[in-house]
Amino acid sequence: MSTAAVAEHGTSHDDHGGGHGHTSTGLSNNKLAMWLFLGSECLLFGGLISTYMLYRGRHVKGPGPDQVFSIPYTSVSSFVLLMSSLTMVLAVAEAQKRNIDKAKLWMTVTAVLGATFVGGQVFEFTEFYRKGLGYTTSLFGSSFYTLTGFHGVHVTVGIIMLMATVGMLKSNKVPGDKAEVIELVGLYWHFVDIVWILIFTLVYLIPA
Amino acid sequence: MAIIEQPRTNVALPAGTGAPALVTPKEAKGMFARPVEPKGWRDWVFTVDHKKIGIMYGVVAFVFFIVGGLEAMLIRLQLAAPNGKVLSAEQYNQMFTMHATTMVFLFVMPMASAFANYFVPLQIGARDVAFPRINAFGLWTFVAGAIFVNLSWFLGGGADGGWFMYAPNSTKMFSPGHGVDFWAFGLQITGIASLTGAINLIVTCINMRAPGMSLFKMPIFTWMIMVVQFLLVFAMPVITVALFLLSFSRGFGGAFFDVKQGADPLLWQHLFWIFGHPEVYILVLPSFGIVSEVLPVFSRKPLFGYKFVAISGAAIGFVGWGVWAHHMFASGLGPISVLVFSMATMMIAVPTGVKIINWTLTMWGGKLRFTTAMLFAIGLIVEFTIGGLSGVTHAVAPSDTQQTDTYYIVAHFHYVLFGGAIFGLFSGFYYWWPKVFGRLLNERWGKANFWLMVIGMNLTFGPMHIVGLQGQPRRMYRYDESNVHARFWNAISTVGAFVLALGILCFIVNVVITHRSKNPAVKAPLDPWDARSLEWMTSNPPPAHNFDAIPTVHELDEFFHRKYAVDHETDEIKQIATAEQIMAEQMAHAEKDIHLPSPSYWPLVVSLSLPIIGFGVIYSHILIAVGALVTILGLFGWSMEPSVATKDDYEPPAPTDDAIKELTA
Ligand code: HEM
């Protein structure tokens, strides 16, 4: 359900009549909407994480977390994702200095790092599957794949948003304030990263 | 599929000037042209005007009110006499599930959206909502989801797990048909509509207020709507999670509710009610907002303790998050949790009581006018209070343990939902009909409508308290003739339901005769009720741009303060201007250059892609990919399209400003 809404706020410019500086509070409509959306997303992930935590250690068959997780591997991919937040910050900074070309470059780097993370996740999932953890195997399997899958989909949506923005900047089809569009994509991207830090800590690092 | 439209600016371009230099829509978009100024039905389908969207929300919601009402009538017919043969047990299960789902998600919520969409921008002096296309998207997504849920009737039977659809009872093992799948995905779709609508309206309330309108000068209806939207933003994602878990369990064999695998059946209950309790405030607060507008107008007094009402609304919204488990007292939560939730529940009665007192004191000493709108508002106070009192008895956990899953509960929530939410909405129909359609609904039919509904609802739901306390279980599909009490009171309930239906029929008749009537008296004057808030400071119905000049606000109840002032010598309130004079004043200062957002195809495209994904989840996974592709393409088209159409969207292209300047110079 989030997909539609994200791309919506990330790239649309509907704030007619109340553009920048004309709103009652001075905040931009798009940014306010993005913050509200992210607030809503907090509860989405809150629900999924709670489900995982409730079912921790309750599986009755199949491998458990300690039998499938490879902490060094996932640490590396988490690091990659964290770095992508850094490059996103750089992209936003360049955009605010009106260096749109450099911003496009950093956004591309961010997308590549994000794609590396998603690729790593796909590889990890196939590994787990080989070790006997299917989606239906156990409560652990179902809740783990659902939680991390949702996160993976969010990263993927973020990558699409980044690439779409880069493409639209190239062909000059971004209506409205370019720097703000980049900032909005950035907000979403950082949010998804923060969620991963939570997931990585709660799911991988704290032993069941 | 270029759609040929006339340019908006009718300046004839002499051949050879300007025109060739402009790009054609094809070149500009590489896709089909935008519906810039559509006519007829296309004017409605592609519109982004909050007023048209509000009306369409209302029409669709009312259709579902009738659907849900017919389902209720079938339930009551089945229970009219012992050993009912109208419905089989399976059909009965589907009927009450779909009745409740339809009433809650497809009638009350969207009807509140109808009012919110139409009146929030008008009440805060805005030209539209913050994101007009998201607004259109919300409408069509709701329509798509609503139809999707109801398609299950034709594709193997409706959902049958009760409106809260407890898992594991709703998993494949116990409900093998597709009903629950349609239900889960359909509500997922309407949830997207609610979420996007909520974000849109919050941004509108926060950012689009007319100059001078601080938060505490916002009309109370808008206040209540804002609280509701905050509840939606945070409640929808929780039900989203629950619905995903259910869908994944049913569709892909997820283990979430498989008790053999160690699953906890309380997981669903917690998720559902964390959403579900805020949801009941989502249903009732818009109606509270409506009556808080209606009572002052027809009492000729300001709302008593406006700030209290606003803040207690917010307080209800806040405390509403802490009481979900009072729906689960009988599920074995443990004594401490039960105690905590019991206390929290009693606490929430306080802000609700504050409202009832405020309304009563608003009427106290006022010059009351008993119009139909006012009667419905008073009806709400009375019936909701009855429902609230039986509600407090469930807050006492030991008492609730006796009542839970009996008809006592059914009685309680119909008093608060029918007596609260529905009465408020009807009050709003009568109060705002002249604003929306420029015609006054007939008062005689209105009074018949009101009295039949009041009598009907008390006859229907009143006896349910009695049979409930005598132990008649909820969701019971028939009973045998040996139970004399049950026979008597159930028969009364069914009679009551028909009286109620007659009342609603009066409303429909009223609408038809009002709109058929050629009598000039049905035409609404500019300010038919001597109203107080901004939405009345424009024509009936308002022009597309709402206000000729955006008013500057100095007071709460701005319109009232422009009409009346205190005469310092006599200390009396005197009229200083008529509504007509205020309108004329506005027109004199009309703003010239108003850019309204333009219609668009994209919201519709994206909305329609969602049920495709839904069919994919249920029947064939290939369709998921097809639907997702359409979604993504739609979003691309959308994000590249500016909110306000550019000149080259017109066919032939509208002349540029320079060209016009040249020509008019
Ligand atoms: C038109 C008048 C209505 C009548 C005659 C009516 C009648 C009924 C009856 C008899 C039941 C109990 C079914 C059972 O437990 O076996 C029921 C259930 C229910 N009704 Fe209504 N109702 C009406 C309107 C509404 C409205 C307006 C709403 C909500 C806004 C509503 C919400 C519900 C809910 C939530 C349930 C519980 C269903 C469940 O057990 O899952 N009803 N209704």
Side-chain angles (χ1 to χ4, degrees):
Chain A
M1 64 170 294
S2 350
T3 339
V6 174
E8 168 72 25
H9 303 308
T11 43
S12 91
H13 274 263
D14 267 346
D15 59 340
H16 78 96
H20 315 296
H22 305 301
T23 63
S24 314
T25 53
L27 290 170
S28 117
N29 283 349
N30 289 332
K31 227 184 266 178
L32 195 58
M34 186 50 123
W35 277 110
L36 286 165
F37 173 68
L38 294 181
S40 177
E41 288 277 279
C42 283
L43 273 103
L44 183 90
F45 280 104
L48 291 168
I49 292 175
S50 307
T51 304
Y52 180 85
M53 297 305 278
L54 175 74
Y55 285 158
R56 238 164 101 116
R58 282 221 202 168
H59 59 284
V60 287
K61 57 178 195 268
D66 39 344
Q67 280 137 307
V68 291
F69 287 166
S70 151
I71 302 292
Y73 177 87
T74 316
S75 303
V76 171
S77 72
S78 303
F79 181 73
V80 170
L81 192 64
L82 275 185
M83 284 305 105
S84 78
S85 253
L86 182 66
T87 55
M88 191 70 229
V89 170
L90 293 174
V92 173
E94 293 296 347
Q96 272 155 357
K97 284 188 266 168
R98 306 284 149 198
N99 291 336
I100 295 299
D101 278 333
K102 280 207 183 135
K104 277 190 296 205
L105 183 67
W106 284 120
M107 282 165 75
T108 314
V109 175
T110 311
V112 170
L113 290 175
T116 314
F117 171 83
V118 174
Q121 206 173 23
V122 171
F123 175 76
E124 193 184 33
F125 282 7
T126 42
E127 270 307 285
F128 293 175
Y129 188 74
R130 268 198 329 100
K131 289 185 190 158
L133 186 71
Y135 186 71
T136 57
T137 308
S138 62
L139 283 176
F140 169 57
S142 297
S143 51
F144 171 79
Y145 284 124
T146 305
L147 171 59
T148 50
F150 259 91
H151 180 265
V153 169
H154 274 77
V155 179
T156 312
V157 169
I159 296 170
I160 296 176
M161 273 161 58
L162 282 166
M163 293 323 294
T165 315
V166 170
M168 281 161 61
L169 284 169
K170 270 211 178 102
S171 50
N172 209 5
K173 281 201 175 139
V174 176
D177 182 352
K178 298 187 179 83
E180 196 195 52
V181 172
I182 297 173
E183 203 185 330
L184 290 175
V185 178
L187 277 178
Y188 174 80
W189 191 263
H190 295 314
F191 170 80
V192 174
D193 277 6
I194 292 169
V195 171
W196 180 255
I197 296 176
L198 263 179
I199 295 178
F200 183 58
T201 316
L202 291 173
V203 174
Y204 289 81
L205 292 186
I206 297 178
Chain B
M1 70 183 256
I3 294 194
I4 311 292
E5 303 291 350
Q6 290 305 309
R8 191 183 307 211
T9 326
N10 279 324
V11 181
L13 281 184
T17 42
L22 296 168
V23 266
T24 63
K26 264 223 176 80
E27 278 175 55
K29 295 281 168 287
M31 251 179 270
F32 43 83
R34 185 170 193 164
V36 218
E37 282 176 334
K39 304 268 153 26
W41 62 271
R42 289 196 279 121
D43 183 23
W44 288 83
V45 174
F46 305 131
T47 190
V48 294
D49 177 348
H50 72 102
K51 296 180 290 302
K52 288 193 183 123
I53 290 173
I55 293 174
M56 286 190 282
Y57 257 116
V59 170
V60 178
F62 201 83
V63 169
F64 281 105
F65 182 42
I66 295 173
V67 172
L70 291 177
E71 284 157 358
M73 296 322 275
L74 286 173
I75 295 177
R76 277 323 317 170
L77 276 178
Q78 165 77 4
L79 297 181
N83 301 321
K85 295 206 174 49
V86 180
L87 301 169
S88 67
E90 287 75 26
Q91 284 168 333
Y92 189 85
N93 287 348
Q94 296 173 17
M95 212 49 85
F96 70 71
T97 304
M98 294 297 281
H99 157 68
T101 304
T102 305
M103 286 297 189
V104 169
F105 294 98
L106 313 184
F107 170 53
V108 178
M109 285 174 74
M111 194 52 100
S113 296
F115 280 107
N117 266 309
Y118 201 100
F119 291 107
V120 165
L122 284 168
Q123 285 202 323
I124 61 173
R127 293 235 149 88
D128 208 315
V129 291
F131 303 95
R133 282 177 298 175
I134 299 182
N135 208 14
F137 168 76
L139 167 73
W140 295 115
T141 303
F142 152 66
V143 173
I147 293 175
F148 191 80
V149 174
N150 276 285
L151 277 182
S152 58
W153 284 121
F154 309 104
L155 297 169
D160 54 3
W163 86 284
F164 38 67
M165 209 55 75
Y166 280 173
N169 188 38
S170 53
T171 52
K172 262 250 132 59
M173 189 192 295
F174 303 105
S175 184
H178 279 313
V180 177
D181 297 316
F182 276 101
W183 183 89
F185 208 84
L187 291 192
Q188 202 76 280
I189 297 177
T190 60
I192 296 174
S194 299
L195 179 67
T196 54
I199 292 177
N200 199 350
L201 283 170
I202 295 176
V203 176
T204 307
C205 291
I206 291 185
N207 263 355
M208 312 279 287
R209 281 167 286 139
M213 181 175 280
S214 59
L215 279 181
F216 279 116
K217 290 199 179 89
M218 238 164 44
I220 195 74
F221 171 74
T222 299
W223 247 105
M224 292 302 109
I225 290 296
M226 192 169 82
V227 172
V228 166
Q229 307 311 313
F230 271 104
L231 287 175
L232 279 169
V233 163
F234 297 112
M236 287 331 283
V238 183
I239 181 101
T240 300
V241 171
L243 292 173
F244 271 127
L245 297 186
L246 181 61
S247 290
F248 290 173
S249 295
R250 293 178 59 93
F252 311 127
F256 304 103
F257 305 113
D258 187 347
V259 181
K260 273 204 303 283
Q261 302 241 35
D264 188 338
L266 287 189
L267 172 64
W268 173 274
Q269 294 197 19
H270 278 298
L271 289 176
F272 188 88
W273 289 117
I274 288 175
F275 151 80
H277 202 81
E279 169 73 12
V280 306
Y281 296 111
I282 291 168
L283 296 175
V284 84
L285 284 180
S287 289
F288 283 7
I290 293 173
V291 301
S292 304
E293 295 284 344
V294 168
L295 288 167
V297 168
F298 295 107
S299 310
R300 291 185 195 274
K301 274 178 65 192
L303 182 63
F304 183 89
Y306 160 84
K307 275 196 185 171
F308 265 107
V309 178
I311 290 171
S312 70
I316 292 178
F318 194 74
V319 186
W321 287 93
V323 298
W324 79 87
H326 70 210
H327 297 269
M328 302 161 59
F329 280 156
S331 64
L333 288 173
I336 302 289
S337 317
V338 168
L339 188 70
V340 169
F341 281 105
S342 192
M343 303 286 280
T345 305
M346 287 178 215
M347 240 170 69
I348 207 165
V350 175
T352 317
V354 166
K355 285 202 144 114
I356 303 224
I357 292 169
N358 277 300
W359 291 329
T360 316
L361 291 180
T362 302
M363 290 193 290
W364 193 274
K367 294 197 192 86
L368 304 188
R369 283 178 291 166
F370 293 102
T371 58
T372 309
M374 180 67 164
L375 288 178
F376 272 109
I378 298 173
L380 179 143
I381 301 180
V382 175
E383 307 296 342
F384 186 84
T385 305
I386 300 176
L389 290 176
S390 62
V392 175
T393 69
H394 321 314
V396 184
S399 152
D400 183 63
T401 322
Q402 304 304 314
Q403 297 154 1
T404 194
D405 271 331
T406 70
Y407 259 75
Y408 189 81
I409 299 288
V410 180
H412 157 69
F413 65 65
H414 281 94
Y415 268 87
V416 289
L417 288 177
F418 208 101
I422 310 279
F423 275 26
L425 295 174
F426 271 81
S427 175
F429 291 154
Y430 281 89
Y431 177 59
W432 276 317
W433 205 271
K435 179 86 264 167
V436 179
F437 299 106
R439 280 161 184 255
L440 286 158
L441 285 174
N442 183 302
E443 280 292 310
R444 266 216 225 146
W445 280 96
K447 301 237 156 100
N449 172 5
F450 170 73
W451 286 110
L452 286 172
M453 266 170 78
V454 172
I455 296 169
M457 89 150 264
N458 285 292
L459 276 183
T460 314
F461 305 119
M464 291 183 185
H465 290 111
I466 302 171
V467 290
L469 286 179
Q470 285 170 342
Q472 177 170 315
R474 175 179 181 182
R475 298 174 176 173
M476 167 196 78
Y477 93 104
R478 63 172 188 191
Y479 50 94
D480 63 42
E481 53 282 308
S482 61
N483 191 336
V484 187
H485 274 292
R487 279 171 70 174
F488 179 72
W489 290 118
N490 276 298
I492 300 277
S493 257
T494 301
V495 171
F498 277 91
V499 177
L500 228 170
L502 216 57
I504 291 160
L505 201 65
C506 285
F507 175 73
I508 298 172
V509 171
N510 197 346
V511 171
V512 173
I513 60 166
T514 301
H515 285 265
R516 283 259 179 94
S517 167
K518 300 225 160 45
N519 183 348
V522 300
K523 198 170 165 327
L526 195 54
D527 181 19
W529 314 123
D530 196 4
R532 315 174 69 87
S533 41
L534 273 195
E535 78 269 25
W536 295 99
M537 250 172 68
T538 179
S539 55
N540 299 336
H545 54 275
N546 290 356
F547 299 96
D548 288 332
I550 296 290
T552 301
V553 176
H554 305 283
E555 309 275 351
L556 170 70
D557 291 342
E558 175 72 16
F559 188 40
F560 174 83
H561 285 279
R562 291 196 186 193
K563 286 187 294 187
Y564 298 94
V566 178
D567 183 337
H568 287 294
E569 276 159 31
T570 57
D571 248 11
E572 269 169 28
I573 296 177
K574 282 234 171 80
Q575 180 150 26
I576 50 170
T578 63
E580 284 74 12
Q581 286 167 334
I582 294 167
M583 266 298 282
E585 159 88 14
Q586 264 215 57
M587 259 141 96
H589 295 98
E591 287 160 39
K592 293 271 149 34
D593 200 21
I594 299 173
H595 284 282
L596 285 179
S598 315
S600 169
Y601 295 125
W602 299 115
L604 194 64
V605 171
V606 180
S607 298
L608 292 183
S609 69
L610 299 176
I612 302 180
I613 302 178
F615 281 116
V617 172
I618 296 172
Y619 292 113
S620 145
H621 292 182
I622 299 171
L623 279 179
I624 301 183
V626 175
L629 197 68
V630 179
T631 316
I632 291 176
L633 288 179
L635 287 172
F636 264 105
W638 185 332
S639 53
M640 284 194 265
E641 178 190 75
S643 172
V644 178
T646 53
K647 310 247 172 205
D648 54 33
D649 281 326
Y650 294 87
E651 174 81 51
T656 59
D657 294 335
D658 293 344
I660 297 170
K661 239 182 248 154
E662 247 166 59
L663 283 166
T664 47

